[in-house]
Amino acid sequence: MKCIKNNLFYFAYILIFCMCELILSILVHTSSYSLDYIYCYICVLLAFFGVFAFFKLNKRFLFTALALFFTSIADIYLVILDKNYLIGVLVFLVAQVCYALRIFVDTKSKTINIIHLIVRLSVSILGVLIVYIVLLENTDILSVVSVIYYLNLVLNCVFSFILVKDSRFNLILAIGFLMFVFCDIFVGIGNFDSYFNIPYGSILYKIIYHKINFSWVFYIPSQTLLSLSLFNKTYLK
């Protein structure tokens, strides 16, 4: 009987949670300028508070909750205030580090964790070198931190898919990161014109100045899935 009650609770919670995020997502894309930013931030806050439905005194919950908390702080700068981008991206980087720690905890193989750490450090260093080679005199601290952040996000996505072999429930986490990666691809494209001359009428120009904010199309589902990513069979017992 207790198992049935747990199943019903989590089924109802996930359904209501997803419906709320969906409604807010629709409002983001249909509301006037400024209101859409507010609705987007409410989605992020809902994702943070929503994770407490899966509260347990363990590292998985701690690192996931911290990651969502830092995400909500970063969006104060990047979404609400729309300034102090460096601080916002740095806080986003901290969030990705928290997710990386969650992945380390979930990974059963010590060998994979060692490889993971080596790859993460190597890719981050290589990314910084590439930024300096490509941007040359246009290189700034924001571009460097942004690349380190994005590479860590991509690595979180890659290693979360590796976790799927241990449990199919980890697919929630992996798809959440994949959505996050696509979101930041469009964020990056939107900032191209800060470093390069984008020809008028080009595909990049149309994406940057399109009325649809493509980054948010992926961002809100990503936060929804990351908030739900703690869900697994242990909650159904």
Side-chain angles (χ1 to χ4, degrees):
M1 181 63 70
K2 183 179 179 181
C3 180
I4 294 174
K5 287 183 178 179
N6 278 345
N7 290 352
L8 289 174
F9 169 78
Y10 283 108
F11 176 78
Y13 170 75
I14 291 172
L15 180 62
I16 294 171
F17 179 77
C18 290
M19 287 299 297
C20 289
E21 290 282 18
L22 177 60
I23 292 170
L24 286 167
S25 180
I26 293 172
L27 290 173
V28 166
H29 296 289
T30 57
S31 299
S32 60
Y33 184 78
S34 74
L35 276 179
D36 53 354
Y37 287 89
I38 294 174
Y39 287 130
C40 182
Y41 189 66
I42 292 174
C43 287
V44 176
L45 285 179
L46 184 60
F48 167 60
F49 288 112
V51 78
F52 285 90
F54 308 104
F55 175 79
K56 283 188 177 182
L57 288 174
N58 57 34
K59 293 178 181 179
R60 292 183 77 246
F61 173 82
L62 175 63
F63 290 137
T64 306
L66 282 174
L68 288 165
F69 170 74
F70 284 119
T71 297
S72 66
I73 297 299
D75 276 339
I76 291 177
Y77 294 101
L78 301 178
V79 175
I80 301 298
L81 299 178
D82 194 26
K83 62 180 182 179
N84 296 324
Y85 299 122
L86 178 58
I87 296 176
V89 176
L90 280 170
V91 178
F92 256 135
L93 176 57
V94 174
Q96 292 309 314
V97 171
C98 291
Y99 280 125
L101 292 172
R102 149 84 187 273
I103 293 171
F104 277 116
V105 170
D106 282 350
T107 303
K108 298 176 181 179
S109 170
K110 290 184 178 180
T111 302
I112 292 179
N113 271 341
I114 292 172
I115 294 172
H116 181 174
L117 183 60
I118 294 172
V119 169
R120 190 173 289 270
L121 292 174
S122 302
V123 169
S124 296
I125 294 171
L126 181 61
V128 172
L129 293 175
I130 292 174
V131 170
Y132 278 103
I133 292 171
V134 173
L135 297 183
L136 298 175
E137 69 276 3
N138 290 326
T139 302
D140 56 20
I141 187 64
L142 178 60
S143 60
V144 172
V145 173
S146 297
V147 167
I148 295 174
Y149 152 75
Y150 185 72
L151 290 174
N152 277 273
L153 170 59
V154 171
L155 288 173
N156 282 342
C157 182
V158 171
F159 283 98
S160 63
F161 271 102
I162 293 175
L163 288 176
V164 175
K165 64 181 176 60
D166 296 327
S167 171
R168 66 181 184 275
F169 287 99
N170 287 326
L171 192 60
I172 301 172
L173 178 69
I175 295 176
F177 276 126
L178 185 61
M179 291 283 192
F180 212 155
V181 168
F182 282 125
C183 162
D184 279 347
I185 286 175
F186 285 104
V187 171
I189 291 174
N191 286 291
F192 270 17
D193 56 353
S194 298
Y195 300 95
F196 307 101
N197 291 321
I198 308 299
Y200 177 81
S202 65
I203 294 176
L204 284 178
Y205 184 91
K206 291 178 180 178
I207 292 175
I208 292 171
Y209 295 101
H210 199 283
K211 62 180 180 180
I212 296 176
N213 190 325
F214 291 106
S215 60
W216 285 353
V217 171
F218 294 99
Y219 185 53
I220 296 171
S222 76
Q223 299 309 301
T224 302
L225 291 172
L226 291 173
S227 181
L228 296 173
S229 67
L230 287 174
F231 178 74
N232 57 36
K233 61 183 179 182
T234 63
Y235 290 92
L236 302 178
K237 294 181 180 180

